[in-house]
């Protein structure tokens, strides 16, 4: 189809003052536009990015009040009734001659192949009633003078200077730097490497939603990370505190071919370095593999001196095409520019979709009439947020048109489509795809001529986008940020001693609330989740701050040692707050062990260590004095020469055996009457089978003796804590005498034997009858009772029951015992055959 001849350009309706404010980045042009907007009674500013429009919207709302300010973008519309100040994307700028002030930001994008025709149309035709301001690069000046001759050109110099510093390895990049890459894969690689070297980086890419980009930038601005990895999207619309910009490459794929960046594009990105009057630097990244990128001397000179080739043409497309038919619409969109300074742009995605769908006969037949053609063109202009190309995007547009051609999209259908995307699970790529899809529905939902219940559906779409954006921000942070390393690198720099270290109540060592390890007793343990690269720095940080922290811990330990319950035992060790602080070692005497402090206490200063050691010994001595008083008295008496060697030896044996000594092993027969009296005065009972110290048969005393005895020998096992009369063990516990398969406490064994002897002494008969009820009340079996009596010098005979009473309960059977001067007999001699219950009892004893 032959294009129509050039048309005459439309003339702007307003005759207000037109001012072009041009200059490099970091000149405060946007700040000036905001001031002028607020100075007028009404106005609008068109921005190249939705996130920049949102940022300025928040600032103007703070000045003028949210009820007077509107935000208009392709995906979001906040339009209070009677709003007088409008912040918009360039595509969404209202064409209203009643606005007193109008500004166009980044006007040099009129030369952009994809969106340039929109900026050119606003530059040529959008005017404010009182004032119009065109903001852009100095390269736009010739075009402004040629196309807007009435404009007053004001050049603003950059507040700070840019300096080229050459190539640096990623590990040498200084903090507060931005690394610029030109593919998502390269961005991910750089961010992963920075996570290893420097604790992580914020990530900014065009594929992210505005909310995610803002969250990542806010993380960088707040100092949570010191590095930013971005695509060339960082070169526009983001006000960052960047000191250095490092280029990971100097070429990019522009949608058609791989090409080297223009000098102006390099300057736009490098200009992010420096802020206000603080100078910035730029350079390349060395060691990236292959051929490292390098600036040419001409490019360095141009960037540092802000000298770039002026623009000679701006892209133009008919902004008011005819809608008589699809062919007429396409003809007007492809028409030649009306002026020599304007050029036809490459085919944009909306025009490519229009032409692709117009070639489908069935779909083209459904577009009839001017209103239908205009509506169809609006559908084709749906942005390709998913960046899938014209053919794939046209299929989505085709389905959308089939739903819209007869009216509106139903609320249920839109709500279901939005709900399908409301899933914050998945990896980074999955969430990016969902965000791109929900942005399409956000664009659709805010069109009042497309969607019923527009406000509700728009709110739902924005809420889903917000949730997905939060999830994507969390995934990016989780993958590319190691908060602990970032804190360490930011706080420490080259000197780990500068780290602000503190100790939490749980014993964790924190740097800015990030754990770097914990203190176990007096030993610093690096966090097991810390990377190997961090360990050296963590240990160095801890070493510089541990002396003060450990001194405080030492004071707390001394204070705890002054309390009876301040320390506990664990095997042969002293434990404080779950950590071993000292261990016992064998001393010269059983009750005088040596106390060896844990090696971790060597970190204390000499005075602190001495105080701690003295406190531990004092606590241990006081503890033994409370629970081992009877044994300590025996030990003290064993040192008295006046006691005689026989008594002293017996006392030593008693102490070493825990206060219980079998009579046959005691040497009691070698003591004279005076020594026996001394022994009894010390509280020792001389029984039929054992010598024992009743006060030493308490659970705490036995446990304390047992702990010390293990240092010297293998003592008998510990008894139950309740010290029950009878236990069933293969080896008799300490303080017990074994009787077959049972063990009886020695004091109770002596009690039973004493009762048996008392019964025997109370009669002149050679044979006596003993009631086993007392033994059974102790849970001692008849077999064990018989074994005890045998050990006590009795010979067992078969018993006979007492005569039955005329009244009262029946009498239990009695046994017939006869004392023997010889060792207990191994058998039982029956007196007569037994019957009934008594026979069963006799059989049990016989076994």
């Amino acid at each position: 189809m032959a294009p129509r001849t050039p048309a005459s350009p439309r003339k702007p309706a307003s005759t207000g003052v037109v001012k072009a404010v041009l200059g490099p980045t970091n000149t405060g042009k946007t700040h000036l536009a905001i001031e002028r907007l607020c100075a007028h009674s009404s106005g609008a500013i068109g921005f190249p990015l939705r996130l920049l429009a949102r940022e300025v919207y928040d600032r103007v709302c703070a000045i003028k009040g949210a009820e007077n300010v509107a935000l208009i973008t392709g995906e979001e519309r906040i339009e209070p009734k009677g709003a007088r100040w409008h912040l918009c994307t360039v595509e969404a700028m209202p064409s209203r001659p009643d606005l007193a002030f109008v500004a166009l930001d980044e006007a040099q994008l009129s030369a952009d192949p994809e969106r340039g025709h929109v900026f050119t149309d606003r530059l040529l035709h959008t005017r404010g009633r009182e004032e119009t301001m065109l903001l852009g690069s100095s390269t736009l000046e010739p075009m402004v003078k040629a196309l807007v001759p009435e404009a007053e050109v004001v050049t603003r110099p950059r507040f700070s200077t840019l300096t080229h510093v050459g190539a640096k390895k990623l590990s040498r990049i200084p903090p507060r730097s931005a690394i610029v890459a030109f593919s998502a894969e390269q961005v991910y690689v750089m961010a992963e490497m920075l996570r290893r070297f420097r604790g992580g980086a914020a990530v900014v890419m065009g594929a992210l939603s505005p909310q995610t980009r803002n969250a990542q930038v806010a993380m960088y601005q707040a100092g949570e990370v010191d590095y930013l990895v971005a695509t060339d999207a960082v070169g526009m619309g983001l006000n960052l505190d960047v000191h250095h910009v490092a280029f990971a490459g100097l070429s990019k794929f522009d949608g058609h071919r791989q090409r080297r960046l223009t000098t102006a594009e390099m300057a736009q990105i490098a200009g992010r370095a420096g802020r206000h009057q603080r100078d910035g630097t730029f350079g390349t990244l060395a060691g990236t593999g292959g051929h490292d990128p390098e600036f040419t001397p001409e490019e360095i000179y141009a960037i540092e001196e802000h000298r770039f080739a002026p623009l000679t043409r701006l892209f133009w497309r008919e902004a008011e095409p005819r809608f008589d038919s699809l062919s007429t619409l396409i003809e007007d969109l492809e028409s030649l520019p009306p002026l020599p300074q304007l050029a036809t742009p490459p085919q944009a995605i909306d025009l490519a979709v229009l032409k692709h769908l117009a070639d489908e006969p069935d779909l083209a037949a459904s577009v009839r009439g001017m209103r239908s053609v205009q509506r169809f063109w609006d559908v084709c202009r749906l942005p390709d947020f998913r960046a899938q190309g014209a053919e794939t995007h046209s299929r989505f547009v085709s389905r959308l048109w089939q739903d819209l051609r007869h009216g509106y999209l139903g609320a249920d259908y839109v709500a279901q489509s939005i709900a399908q995307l409301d899933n914050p699970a998945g990896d980074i790529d999955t969430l990016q795809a969902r965000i791109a899809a929900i942005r399409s529905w956000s664009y659709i939902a805010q069109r009042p001529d497309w969607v019923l219940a527009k406000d509700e559906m728009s709110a739902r779409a924005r809420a889903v986008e917000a949730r997905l954006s939060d999830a994507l921000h969390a995934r990016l942070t989780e993958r590319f940020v190691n908060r602990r390393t970032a804190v360490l690198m930011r706080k420490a720099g080259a000197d780990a001693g500068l780290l602000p270290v503190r100790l939490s109540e749980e014993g964790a060592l924190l740097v800015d609330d990030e754990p770097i390890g914990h203190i176990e007793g007096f030993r610093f343990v690096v966090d097991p989740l810390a990377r190997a690269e961090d360990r050296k720095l963590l240990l160095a940080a801890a070493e510089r701050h541990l002396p003060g922290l450990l001194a405080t811990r030492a004071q707390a330990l001394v204070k705890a040692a002054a309390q009876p319950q301040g320390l506990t035992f664990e095997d042969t060790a002293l434990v404080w707050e779950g950590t071993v602080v000292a261990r016992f070692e064998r001393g010269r005497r059983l009750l005088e062990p040596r106390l060896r402090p844990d090696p971790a206490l060597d970190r204390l200063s000499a005075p602190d260590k001495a105080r701690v050691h003295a406190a531990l010994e004092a606590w241990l001595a006081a503890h033994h004095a409370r629970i081992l008083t009877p044994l300590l008295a025996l030990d003290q008496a064993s040192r008295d020469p006046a006691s005689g060697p026989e008594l002293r030896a017996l006392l030593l044996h008693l102490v070493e055996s825990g206060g219980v000594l079998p009579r046959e092993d005691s040497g009691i027969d070698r003591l004279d009457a005076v020594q026996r009296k001394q022994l009894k005065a010390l509280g020792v009972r001389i029984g039929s089978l054992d010598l024992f110290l009743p006060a030493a048969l308490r659970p705490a005393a036995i446990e304390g003796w047992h702990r010390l005895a293990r240092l010297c020998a293998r003592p008998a096992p510990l008894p139950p804590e309740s010290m029950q009369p009878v236990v069933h063990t293969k080896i008799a516990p300490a303080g017990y005498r074994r009787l077959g398969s049972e063990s009886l406490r020695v004091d109770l064994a002596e009690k039973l034997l004493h009762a048996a002897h008392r019964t025997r002494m109370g009669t002149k008969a050679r044979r006596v009858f003993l009631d086993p009820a007392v033994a059974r009340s102790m849970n001692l079996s008849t077999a064990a009772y018989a074994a005890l009596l045998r050990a006590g010098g009795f010979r067992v005979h078969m018993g006979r029951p007492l005569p039955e009473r005329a009244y009262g309960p029946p009498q239990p059977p009695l046994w017939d015992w006869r004392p023997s001067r010889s060792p207990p007999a191994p058998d039982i001699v029956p007196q007569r055959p037994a019957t009934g219950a008594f026979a069963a009892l006799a059989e049990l004893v016989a076994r």
Side-chain angles (χ1 to χ4, degrees):
M1 180 182 296
R4 71 177 185 179
T5 57
S8 299
R10 293 179 288 119
K11 297 294 183 181
S14 175
T15 58
V17 174
V18 180
K19 184 180 296 184
V21 182
L22 309 177
T25 57
N26 189 17
T27 59
K29 297 188 294 292
T30 303
H31 182 71
L32 175 63
I34 296 172
E35 287 183 346
R36 298 305 303 156
L37 172 73
C38 295
H40 286 276
S41 59
S42 62
I45 303 178
F47 296 98
L49 298 174
R50 170 189 171 190
L51 64 86
L52 188 55
R54 163 60 84 167
E55 177 185 336
V56 176
Y57 167 78
D58 293 335
R59 293 170 61 182
V60 176
C61 282
I63 300 172
K64 296 295 185 179
E67 68 280 3
N68 299 315
V69 185
L71 174 67
I72 307 174
T73 69
E75 304 157 60
E76 186 175 12
R77 301 180 74 93
I78 303 175
E79 294 183 271
K81 186 176 181 181
R84 293 187 291 163
W85 294 276
H86 302 75
L87 291 312
C88 325
T89 52
V90 171
E91 288 82 355
M93 283 187 74
S95 180
R96 291 174 50 182
D98 61 318
L99 294 176
F101 174 82
V102 169
L104 176 66
D105 193 26
E106 303 291 356
Q108 76 277 1
L109 288 180
S110 298
D112 180 71
E114 296 182 8
R115 304 171 63 198
H117 60 277
V118 179
F119 282 81
T120 300
D121 181 71
R122 302 295 186 265
L123 184 146
L124 294 175
H125 304 121
T126 303
R127 296 290 183 269
R129 186 181 72 251
E130 299 174 3
E131 183 180 1
T132 301
M133 185 173 288
L134 307 175
L135 313 174
S137 170
S138 299
T139 58
L140 187 63
E141 184 175 351
M143 291 294 94
V144 170
K145 290 182 176 179
L147 298 174
V148 192
E150 71 275 14
E152 174 190 354
V153 178
V154 178
T155 302
R156 293 173 68 92
R158 180 180 169 91
F159 292 149
S160 60
T161 61
L162 271 176
T163 305
H164 179 252
V165 294
K168 294 180 180 289
K169 291 184 178 181
L170 191 64
S171 58
R172 301 281 186 177
I173 294 294
R176 312 311 295 168
S177 292
I179 293 87
V180 181
F182 296 94
S183 68
E185 293 78 10
Q186 197 175 25
V187 167
Y188 293 160
V189 169
M190 296 299 162
E192 288 278 10
M193 294 175 68
L194 282 170
R195 185 182 189 276
R196 294 177 54 195
F197 295 142
R198 293 291 185 268
V203 173
V204 173
M205 298 187 296
L208 303 181
S209 68
Q211 181 173 334
T212 305
R213 273 181 286 178
N214 283 343
Q216 290 285 301
V217 168
M219 183 172 63
Y220 171 82
Q221 289 293 91
E224 296 180 31
V225 291
D226 276 332
Y227 298 89
L228 181 76
V229 182
T231 60
D232 53 346
V234 76
M236 185 180 301
L238 293 175
N239 297 314
L240 301 169
D241 184 19
V242 174
H243 299 176
H244 177 75
V245 172
F247 288 77
L250 294 175
S251 63
K252 72 171 185 177
F253 183 75
D254 62 2
H256 303 281
R257 61 187 176 89
Q258 188 76 20
R259 64 171 179 83
R260 189 176 179 86
L261 300 173
T262 65
T263 309
E265 289 172 332
M266 295 176 184
Q268 182 76 21
I269 298 170
R272 296 295 106 186
R275 188 163 185 167
H276 196 57
Q277 296 183 357
R278 186 179 58 228
D279 297 338
T281 58
F282 70 98
T284 54
L285 205 59
T288 56
H291 298 287
D292 291 339
E294 293 183 359
F295 290 101
T296 65
E298 293 78 11
E299 290 168 342
I300 295 173
Y301 172 79
I303 296 171
E304 289 183 340
E305 300 298 328
H306 315 298
R307 297 180 182 274
F308 310 106
L311 296 175
T312 58
R313 290 188 307 171
L314 305 181
F315 288 115
W316 176 91
R317 190 175 76 179
E318 179 60 58
E320 296 183 355
R322 294 168 294 170
F323 299 106
D324 298 335
S325 64
L326 290 179
S327 58
T328 303
L329 173 62
I330 295 173
E331 176 185 356
D332 284 0
L333 294 174
E334 292 184 331
S335 61
L336 297 177
L339 296 173
Q341 295 86 0
L342 304 177
T344 302
Q347 184 170 268
I349 185 72
D350 54 359
L351 179 57
V353 170
L354 173 64
K355 294 174 67 175
H356 183 84
L357 296 180
D359 290 338
E360 297 182 10
D362 293 341
L363 191 146
S366 66
V367 184
R368 298 295 183 187
M370 292 184 61
R371 295 185 62 182
S372 181
V373 171
Q374 184 173 4
R375 186 177 177 85
F376 182 67
W377 172 233
D378 289 339
V379 175
C380 291
R381 293 171 66 188
L382 173 69
D384 182 18
F385 294 109
R386 293 170 292 183
Q388 294 179 333
E391 184 173 351
T392 302
H393 187 52
S394 64
R395 290 197 291 269
F396 180 76
V397 171
S398 175
R399 292 194 299 271
L400 179 62
W401 169 250
Q402 296 300 332
D403 295 327
L404 283 174
R405 56 181 293 195
H406 298 301
Y408 294 89
L409 296 177
D412 292 342
Y413 170 71
V414 177
Q416 181 180 2
S417 300
I418 293 173
Q420 289 175 351
L421 298 171
D422 190 7
N423 180 8
D427 57 16
I428 291 175
D429 294 334
T430 301
L431 290 172
Q432 284 181 338
R434 291 196 191 115
I435 288 175
I438 198 62
R439 291 183 70 186
S440 297
W441 283 104
S442 294
Y443 184 95
I444 293 169
Q446 60 87 33
R447 293 287 303 241
D449 55 334
W450 290 5
V451 176
L452 293 172
K454 174 187 77 71
D455 294 338
E456 180 184 354
M457 294 301 107
S458 295
R460 289 191 182 189
R462 287 197 301 271
V464 171
E465 182 180 348
R467 282 192 289 273
L468 295 176
S469 297
D470 289 341
L472 179 56
H473 172 62
R475 299 293 187 284
L476 290 170
T477 303
E478 179 182 350
R479 178 173 174 182
F480 298 124
V481 176
N482 183 325
R483 293 191 180 276
R484 173 173 43 233
T485 303
V487 168
L488 291 176
M489 298 307 301
R490 182 175 69 251
K491 293 292 184 181
D495 186 0
L498 298 178
L499 288 169
V501 179
R502 67 180 181 86
L503 188 66
S504 71
E505 295 180 357
E506 295 77 19
L509 218 57
L510 307 177
V511 177
D512 274 9
D513 295 328
E514 288 294 329
I516 66 173
H518 63 279
I519 293 180
E520 293 182 356
F522 293 85
R523 182 182 292 107
F524 173 67
V525 180
V526 177
D527 193 323
L529 300 179
R531 300 178 304 114
E533 295 88 342
D534 294 340
R535 286 185 173 268
K536 184 176 180 181
L537 186 61
L538 295 177
L539 287 170
E543 289 292 340
R544 295 291 296 271
H545 292 82
L546 276 180
L549 297 174
L550 294 182
T552 303
R553 297 274 291 174
Q555 293 176 3
L557 175 54
V558 171
K559 183 177 180 180
Q563 305 296 326
Q565 307 301 324
L567 302 177
T568 58
F569 291 100
E570 182 178 303
D571 197 17
T572 57
L574 279 181
V575 178
W576 174 57
E577 294 184 351
T579 303
V580 173
V581 292
R583 295 185 182 276
F584 303 146
E585 290 182 347
R586 182 174 179 176
R588 291 191 302 172
R589 303 175 73 89
L590 177 68
L591 300 184
E592 295 179 357
R594 289 192 305 168
L595 195 63
R596 178 171 55 86
D598 189 78
L601 269 65
D602 293 340
R603 293 178 174 271
L604 296 174
S605 64
D608 285 340
K609 183 177 179 181
R611 280 193 292 271
V612 168
H613 194 184
L616 295 179
E617 289 187 331
W619 184 91
L620 184 62
H623 179 76
H624 285 167
R626 287 194 304 272
I627 67 172
L628 298 177
T629 302
L631 290 178
L632 288 172
L634 296 186
D635 184 69
Q636 183 66 28
S638 70
R639 305 184 193 186
D640 186 2
S643 300
E646 296 82 3
L647 178 58
R648 293 174 62 189
L650 189 151
L651 292 175
L652 282 174
H653 289 161
L654 268 175
V655 170
E656 291 174 355
S657 60
V660 177
L661 193 63
R663 181 164 182 157
E664 61 267 21
D665 300 333
S666 66
I668 186 68
D669 297 335
R670 294 195 295 269
L671 299 185
D672 57 26
V674 175
Q675 290 176 323
R676 286 176 177 251
K677 186 175 181 181
Q678 291 177 345
L679 187 63
K680 292 181 179 180
L682 292 170
V684 177
R685 290 277 302 275
I686 303 174
S688 301
L689 300 178
D690 301 286
L691 273 68
F692 60 92
L693 192 64
L697 295 180
R698 296 168 182 170
I702 292 182
E703 182 181 2
W705 165 83
H706 193 271
R707 188 180 301 114
L708 298 175
R710 278 185 294 173
L711 300 175
C712 307
R714 295 177 61 86
L718 275 173
E721 187 175 354
S722 60
M723 290 294 291
Q724 60 200 51
V726 177
V727 295
H728 297 267
T729 57
K730 293 182 179 179
I731 301 176
Y736 284 72
R737 168 169 284 275
R738 183 169 182 181
L739 301 171
S741 62
E742 302 172 33
S743 297
L744 179 65
R745 214 167 67 201
V746 294
D747 57 335
L748 296 179
E750 181 61 28
K751 179 180 179 181
L752 290 176
L753 286 177
H754 184 72
H757 281 289
R758 188 170 58 248
T759 302
R760 181 182 65 84
M761 296 299 292
T763 179
K764 295 182 180 181
R766 183 171 179 80
R767 294 180 178 178
V768 295
F769 294 93
L770 300 178
D771 188 352
V774 176
R776 288 199 299 268
S777 69
M778 297 179 185
N779 202 29
L780 188 68
S781 68
T782 55
Y785 187 33
L788 173 64
L789 292 174
R790 287 196 199 104
F794 289 85
R795 175 173 292 182
V796 180
H797 285 267
M798 187 65 65
R800 103 169 31 96
L802 294 176
E804 294 186 3
R805 293 180 179 176
Y807 58 90
Q811 294 294 311
L814 300 179
W815 293 352
D816 180 19
W817 304 95
R818 186 177 66 179
S820 174
R821 296 180 183 177
S822 60
D827 60 339
I828 297 178
V829 181
Q831 181 184 12
R832 62 180 177 82
T835 58
F838 186 75
L841 183 60
E843 288 181 358
L844 178 63
V845 175
R847 288 200 298 269

